Amino acid sequence: MTYCLLKLIARSRFDILHAHWWFPCGLIAGLVARCRPKSRRPRVVVTCHGGDVFALHGLIFDFLLKLTSCTVDRLIAVSASVKRNLVDRAIAADHISIAPMGVDIENLFVPPEDNRSRKASFRRPLVEKKGVDTLLRATAILRDRGVVQQVTIAGDGPLRAHLEDLASELGIREQVRFLGSVPNTKTVAIYQSASLAVFPFRRARSGDQDGLGLVMPEAMGCECCVIASNLENTRDVILDGETGMTFEADDPVALADVLRTVVHDFPHIPDLLRKAGRQHASQLLDWRNVVNNHMRIYSDLCIENGESHG
């Protein structure tokens, strides 16, 4: 990567070099840019997506993160929770901008023509930080309370066999459909068929967690009623009771309570949240707004460097 980047910037001049993930891409981009004469050095921007911040910690990674910060012109955090983590690790707050990645809510993640056909709950990749086991346990609790909810789990991963065994142990295997890996081209159709999109995120034992969780605004764009655990990254997207519902992470009873509320006790709630959720996601994360946000960051860096172009 270092060799290719050295060759690229040697034969072409760039105003902005934008790397994604601080390690290794951001560190390499910053060091390579420093090899250029100051008059020909691109401004370096690095987006931290979350996994690179939450999972990579300890003395060595903290040192490399500080080195990266010192060699680049701007760090971008995809959420307020990612920025807080960076600041807690002695990165200057004024060196970090918040600019989430985007979702094509205008053209791609759109509601179905008929909301009445919706019937499933939906989750994605099967790894520890996604917390799918919490959803399965909540489904079993609902069954014991007399509410039988069909659940569709889309995605694959190292925990799939364990989760299938857990569904059988809980006596809900007939209620749960495991779709396996789903191509991106079919994701929209799954969201559009789901009445609820459940995202029981958790902090993994390694410390890893989602930086923002773009699956939430994707679902909101399709007018799913989104229910998610109340981690910091969730709060950047969901206003509890206004654009979605939240519950205490790793608490299947709390999730079951929320599901019963929206499925059984107050079935009008999903309709209210779907419209508000889509509008909120569009204002926050539609690609047009995200592009404009990034362009402002690029422009500010060029102005700070005394450049009139952008």
Side-chain angles (χ1 to χ4, degrees), residues 4 17-18 47 54 62 70 91 100 112 138 186 193 203 220 237-238 256 264 298 300:
C4 291
L17 177 60
H18 191 155
T47 291
F54 295 120
D62 286 349
C70 292
I91 306 300
K186 295 185 178 180
S193 70
R203 187 189 300 270
M220 293 161 78
V237 180
I238 296 180
H264 185 269
Y298 297 159
D300 289 345

Side-chain angles (χ1 to χ4, degrees), residues 149-168:
Q149 179 73 10
Q150 297 299 314
V151 177
T152 298
I153 298 177
D156 211 340
L159 294 183
R160 179 173 176 178
H162 166 73
L163 293 169
E164 290 180 343
D165 290 342
L166 178 61
S168 297

Side-chain angles (χ1 to χ4, degrees), residues 207-227:
D208 190 17
Q209 63 178 311
D210 280 5
L212 179 62
L214 287 178
V215 288
M216 291 185 291
E218 287 177 355
M220 293 161 78
C222 295
E223 287 193 359
C224 285
C225 176
V226 172
I227 299 172

Side-chain angles (χ1 to χ4, degrees), residues 170-226:
L170 293 171
I172 58 170
R173 191 63 184 84
E174 296 301 316
Q175 294 175 235
V176 182
R177 182 185 178 199
F178 288 87
L179 295 182
S181 181
V182 175
N184 288 338
T185 54
K186 295 185 178 180
T187 300
V188 174
I190 296 176
Y191 283 130
Q192 290 176 339
S193 70
S195 60
L196 308 175
V198 183
F199 302 105
F201 300 130
R202 64 155 62 99
R203 187 189 300 270
R205 283 167 291 184
S206 66
D208 190 17
Q209 63 178 311
D210 280 5
L212 179 62
L214 287 178
V215 288
M216 291 185 291
E218 287 177 355
M220 293 161 78
C222 295
E223 287 193 359
C224 285
C225 176
V226 172

